Amino acid sequence: MSLNVILLNGASSSGKSTLARALRQRMRDTKREEYRVVSIDDFLDMTVHQPVYEDDVFEISHLLCQKALDILNAGDGAIIDHVITSERIYEQLMEALKDCALITVQVTCPLSELEKREKKRVDRSIGSAKASCAYLYPQKGYDLTLNTLEMSPEECSEKICALLD
């Protein structure tokens, strides 16, 4: 039986969006299942001049949860690309998805690499990677932890799919 929701949680610039795309494609190619990506970025105004605060994320997090539930109700699986930086955001997500089969994946890489990646992006305030790394919630207890500096998106997606078998 396949799981319905795959939560990718990690600091800004950790590689979640790239992994989500690779995972979606792998699910299509190997399992013949359709998964749609729901990203926190879709609900926030991300710019280099404006940092994103925990309150901003909490205020819109219910919209992300509802979108994931809508995807499930339409018959597809959901891959959630999120940066959870507090217990209340995490609890809101867990409560909304309590009736769903859920796999949690922590997406990591060293802070030096996060900062290097962040500088290459045009849609992030400098310092977002460091702050989200420091406040990432939860720090432990995931079904799987993947380091995107050590593994390619394809290798990471293979590890996640292995959990679904």
Side-chain angles (χ1 to χ4, degrees):
M1 180 180 109
S2 293
L3 297 172
N4 293 327
V5 180
I6 301 166
L7 170 64
L8 305 177
N9 187 31
S12 178
S13 300
S14 63
K16 296 177 307 299
S17 297
T18 303
L19 172 54
R21 287 188 297 274
L23 180 57
R24 181 180 187 196
Q25 191 62 50
R26 184 171 196 84
M27 295 300 285
R28 281 181 180 159
D29 294 345
T30 64
K31 296 191 177 291
R32 304 288 183 243
E33 295 177 3
E34 189 62 38
Y35 274 69
R36 293 174 41 203
V37 177
V38 182
S39 175
I40 191 67
D41 293 357
D42 297 337
F43 299 90
L44 293 169
D45 183 23
M46 308 293 280
T47 69
V48 295
H49 304 293
Q50 182 64 39
V52 175
Y53 297 102
E54 189 272 350
D55 282 342
D56 300 326
V57 176
F58 183 74
E59 286 179 20
I60 56 85
S61 191
H62 71 282
L63 299 172
L64 179 143
C65 295
Q66 187 57 55
K67 180 70 174 176
L69 292 171
D70 291 346
I71 289 169
L72 294 172
N73 288 332
D76 293 335
I79 300 168
I80 298 176
D81 170 355
H82 210 316
V83 180
I84 301 172
T85 57
S86 72
E87 184 176 4
R88 71 180 181 156
I89 295 170
Y90 179 78
E91 292 300 329
Q92 182 182 52
L93 187 71
M94 291 301 110
E95 177 63 25
L97 301 174
K98 68 182 178 195
D99 295 328
C100 303
L102 175 68
I103 185 168
T104 58
V105 180
Q106 182 180 25
V107 181
T108 69
C109 73
L111 180 58
S112 59
E113 180 64 17
L114 290 174
E115 292 174 329
K116 186 173 149 184
R117 292 175 184 179
E118 179 180 66
K119 288 178 184 172
K120 292 181 181 178
R121 298 179 76 165
V122 297
D123 63 345
R124 291 296 184 274
S125 173
I126 298 299
S128 297
K130 185 175 184 176
S132 60
C133 187
Y135 292 105
L136 191 71
Y137 188 91
Q139 290 287 327
K140 298 178 183 177
Y142 294 87
D143 296 310
L144 186 63
T145 297
L146 300 170
N147 184 322
T148 60
L149 184 62
E150 295 174 355
M151 291 187 289
S152 71
E154 292 73 26
E155 291 169 320
C156 291
S157 65
E158 183 178 340
K159 295 272 188 194
I160 295 168
C161 284
L163 286 179
L164 302 175
D165 292 335

